[in-house]
Amino acid sequence: MAKLDEYRLKVQQLLEKYAQYKPSYGDVEVEPIFDTQRDHYQIISVGWNQQKRVYGPIMHLDIKNEKIWIQQNTTEVDIAAELLEMGVPKQDIVIGFHTPKMRQLTSFAVG
């Protein structure tokens, strides 16, 4: 349980950091959404850029079986590298947006 609590805290800290950045265009908010009961964590963009609606996930991480799954990352930030710097071992990080076959070719967890 201590490991799960530690990962929840680290994931929230990471996403809170990037939720601070506001896009340079339009009237767009970046909102953190944390479901700590089901271990789903996201930051999404919500707003308007002139007459165009802006809405969508920027980053999405889940915690499953005491591993951190990177489900979505639309930025140039290397989330896996940041998690490593925060002390999360490679075997507990899953690059979820890669196919299972691709995951076998990395040094990160397969699933």
Side-chain angles (χ1 to χ4, degrees):
M1 198 62 166
K3 182 177 172 180
L4 182 58
D5 291 338
E6 176 190 340
Y7 285 179
R8 285 176 174 149
L9 182 63
K10 288 180 179 186
V11 165
Q12 289 177 53
Q13 287 173 336
L14 180 70
L15 295 183
E16 286 283 359
K17 174 180 155 185
Y18 289 104
Q20 308 272 328
Y21 298 108
K22 181 177 175 10
S24 59
Y25 56 89
D27 184 20
V28 179
E29 294 181 20
V30 177
E31 299 179 355
I33 300 172
F34 300 155
D35 177 352
T36 56
Q37 289 186 328
R38 294 172 195 82
D39 286 319
H40 303 296
Y41 305 87
Q42 295 185 10
I43 53 175
I44 64 167
S45 56
V46 178
W48 292 92
N49 184 17
Q50 298 179 2
Q51 298 299 314
K52 184 177 178 187
R53 177 76 171 152
V54 176
Y55 180 84
I58 299 169
M59 294 178 179
H60 174 176
L61 285 80
D62 292 331
I63 300 174
K64 297 191 243 180
N65 300 321
E66 296 193 339
K67 293 182 182 174
I68 299 173
W69 285 68
I70 302 171
Q71 303 286 18
Q72 175 78 313
N73 179 12
T74 63
T75 73
E76 296 180 4
V77 174
D78 187 343
I79 297 174
E82 290 208 28
L83 289 169
L84 290 171
E85 289 173 13
M86 296 172 81
V88 179
K90 278 188 169 185
Q91 67 267 16
D92 287 350
I93 300 171
V94 179
I95 312 298
F97 55 83
H98 284 170
T99 64
K101 189 174 182 179
M102 283 290 292
R103 286 185 228 144
Q104 294 176 359
L105 304 174
T106 71
S107 56
F108 292 97
V110 174

